[in-house]
């Protein structure tokens, strides 16, 4: 939702293409991951570790958002660009939180269960 609002702020302010493209791509990729999990396609396509792909997406998005949204806030050609940049920085924080929460939840080859000694 935040990525969509940032996208519409950049579109309304007629900002540079990089601002609009990044916010639009992030909104589209997030919607695709949401649909993937909602329709439980991640279980049908088990050959790929989807939480790891989601973490990778969040980290890469956070790096791009940091650069592009800082430029948008610093340059601030108009109020729409400034609002989009601030919303992009909020989205940056959400991407980092998403990556951290998913990395805590993922278990790569670890046993899931109690470590009780055999009797």
């Amino acid at each position: 939702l935040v990525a969509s609002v940032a996208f519409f702020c950049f579109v309304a302010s007629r900002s540079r293409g990089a601002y609009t493209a990044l916010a639009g791509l992030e909104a589209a990729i997030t919607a695709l991951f949401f649909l993937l999990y909602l329709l439980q396609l991640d279980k049908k396509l088990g050959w790929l570790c989807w939480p790891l792909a989601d973490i990778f997406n969040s980290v890469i998005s956070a790096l791009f958002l940091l650069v592009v949204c800082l430029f948008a806030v610093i340059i601030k050609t108009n109020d729409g660009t400034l609002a989009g940049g601030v919303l992009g920085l909020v989205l940056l924080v959400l991407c980092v939180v998403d990556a951290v929460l998913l990395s805590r939840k993922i278990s790569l080859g670890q046993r899931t269960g109690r470590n009780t000694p055999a009797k």
Side-chain angles (χ1 to χ4, degrees):
L1 185 64
V2 175
S4 298
V5 174
F7 172 72
F8 289 125
C9 286
F10 286 136
V11 168
S13 68
R14 296 189 177 137
S15 298
R16 296 181 187 259
Y19 304 148
T20 307
L22 181 65
L25 280 175
E26 184 57 34
I29 291 171
T30 303
L32 288 175
F33 270 108
F34 181 72
L35 281 175
L36 176 90
Y37 291 127
L38 183 68
L39 298 175
Q40 295 182 349
L41 293 175
D42 58 330
K43 292 181 174 100
K44 292 180 183 178
L45 302 170
W47 50 271
L48 183 64
C49 183
W50 290 104
L52 191 60
D54 200 0
I55 291 171
F56 184 72
N57 172 49
S58 295
V59 170
I60 296 299
S61 296
L63 291 174
F64 282 127
L65 284 167
L66 177 68
V67 172
V68 171
C69 292
L70 278 179
F71 280 131
V73 169
I74 291 170
I75 294 173
K76 63 180 174 184
T77 55
N78 55 29
D79 291 337
T81 305
L82 179 62
V86 169
L87 286 171
L89 291 175
V90 169
L91 184 61
L92 164 82
V93 171
L94 291 175
C95 284
V96 170
V97 168
D98 180 47
V100 168
L101 290 177
L102 279 173
S103 66
R104 287 186 180 175
K105 191 176 184 180
I106 195 171
S107 62
L108 295 174
Q110 297 175 354
R111 288 186 168 187
T112 57
R114 294 185 179 183
N115 291 332
T116 57
K119 291 184 179 182

